[in-house]
Amino acid sequence: MIVIALDADAVSKIRLAPSPIVEVLSWLHLTARGGRHPIFGDPGPAARFALRDRDVALLARALQRSGYLPDLLTPKPTGQNWRSSWQQQVDEVSQAPAEAAEMQVFTHRGGNPLPGDVGAAVLAGTFARRAAQALRRFHDVALAGQWEPIQAALQADLAHRGQVMLVHGLGRLLHGLHPSVRWTGRRLEITGRFTCTAQLGGAELVLVPSALSERRVAIQVDDPCHAYLRYPVSALRCADHAARGAGRHELLGRSRAAILGDLDVPRSTTELSRRHGLALSTISYHLNVLLHAGLLHRRRDGALVRYGRTDSGEALAGSTGPARDR
C-alpha cells in the first residue's frame, strides 16, 4: 500500500489537470509491447512505424514492464491549454539534469537489466534530450490529429469530478477516484503492488485523469515538486467519446478522412498532393472513391479541376472536428 499524508496546506492545493505527456507515453508503451487498448483499439501502423526512429526506440526500451516511469519523463501538467501544457512538459524533459536521469533510470530499475543503448545514453548525459526528441516524434507521427476523442473524454471526466467536488466536497472526490484509492481525512491510501509512505507538507498534488494508460492508479511522490496521482477515466466515458470521434476514420480510412476534412474549400489534385505529402496518383484514387460515394463534387476552374464537399460530405466531415490548417 502507498500512503500519502497531506497537511491542510497540501489539501488546499490539490487540483485536477490532464497530462499530454502521460497520454503519449502510455500510447508508446502500448505500441512497444504490441498491445491493444480496450477502448481506442490498436495503436496502428503509424505508431509502429514511429518505433523505427532511433530515439523513439530508445525511449520505448527505457519504459520497463514493471510500470515505473522515471519522474523526469512525467513533469506535472500546468493546467494551461493542451498545446501549451504539452510544449512545457517536453521542454522540461529535455532540460532535466543528467544526474536525475542517472539516478532515476539506473537506481529504480528494480533489478531488471538495462538495455545497452539506454545505459550509454544515460552515462553520456544525452538521455533526457533524446527522450524529449522521441516524445515529439512519436506524438507527431502517431497521435497528432487524433486527440479530439481523447481530449473530449478527459474534459468530460474533469467536468464530472468538478461537479462531485462542488456538490459533495473534496473528500468524496478523492475517495471516488478509483476503487484502489481511499481518503481517510488526513491521508490517501492506494492499494497496489508497491509500498511506500510519503508526506506532502504544503506540496501541490495534481490529480491526472488518463484515457490511454492502464486501468489502474499510478502515483509519483519521489519529487514533491512533481507530485501527481494518475487515475483512469471511466471506460464508459472513453467509449462514448471514442465512438463519436471514430466515425469518419472508421468509414473512410485515415487518408481519405484527412482529404475530406481538408476540403473545407475546393482544392485541386496538385494542391492536395502537396498538402498531404501523397503522390498525385494516390490523391486521384482517393478523390475518385469519395466522388463515387457522393461525398464530393468537382468543377473546372480554368485549367484546374477543383474538388469540394457535397452536403453529405459536409455532414460527415463535421463529425470529427476542424479541418487542417491552411
Side-chain angles (χ1 to χ4, degrees), residues 3 30 42 51 57 77 87 98 115 129 135 146-147 149 163 194 240 242 252 316:
V3 177
L30 185 71
D42 177 46
L51 290 175
Q87 294 294 345
R129 176 180 56 80
L135 287 162
Q146 310 303 317
W147 284 114
Q163 185 67 18
F194 302 103
D240 178 45
L252 302 177
L316 187 55

Side-chain angles (χ1 to χ4, degrees), residues 168-188:
H168 302 287
L170 182 61
R172 176 75 68 87
L173 168 66
L174 295 172
H175 197 68
L177 288 175
H178 189 267
S180 66
V181 178
R182 178 172 175 262
W183 171 245
T184 70
R186 294 185 178 180
R187 62 186 193 179
L188 278 171

Side-chain angles (χ1 to χ4, degrees), residues 11-48:
V11 169
S12 72
K13 294 177 181 176
I14 290 174
R15 64 182 175 90
L16 290 137
S19 173
I21 209 166
V22 163
E23 302 304 304
V24 174
L25 283 167
S26 298
W27 206 238
L28 172 58
H29 188 220
L30 185 71
T31 303
R33 62 183 177 85
R36 182 180 179 85
H37 193 275
I39 304 298
F40 292 99
D42 177 46
R48 287 187 284 275

Side-chain angles (χ1 to χ4, degrees), residues 146 248-249 252-264 272 275-276 278 290 309 320 323-324:
Q146 310 303 317
R248 191 174 76 200
H249 297 122
L252 302 177
R254 233 166 258 287
S255 294
R256 284 194 286 275
I259 292 168
L260 182 66
D262 200 18
L263 289 171
D264 50 330
L272 289 167
R275 288 168 65 82
H276 292 268
L278 296 173
L290 295 169
R309 296 193 294 239
T320 55
R324 291 162 51 95

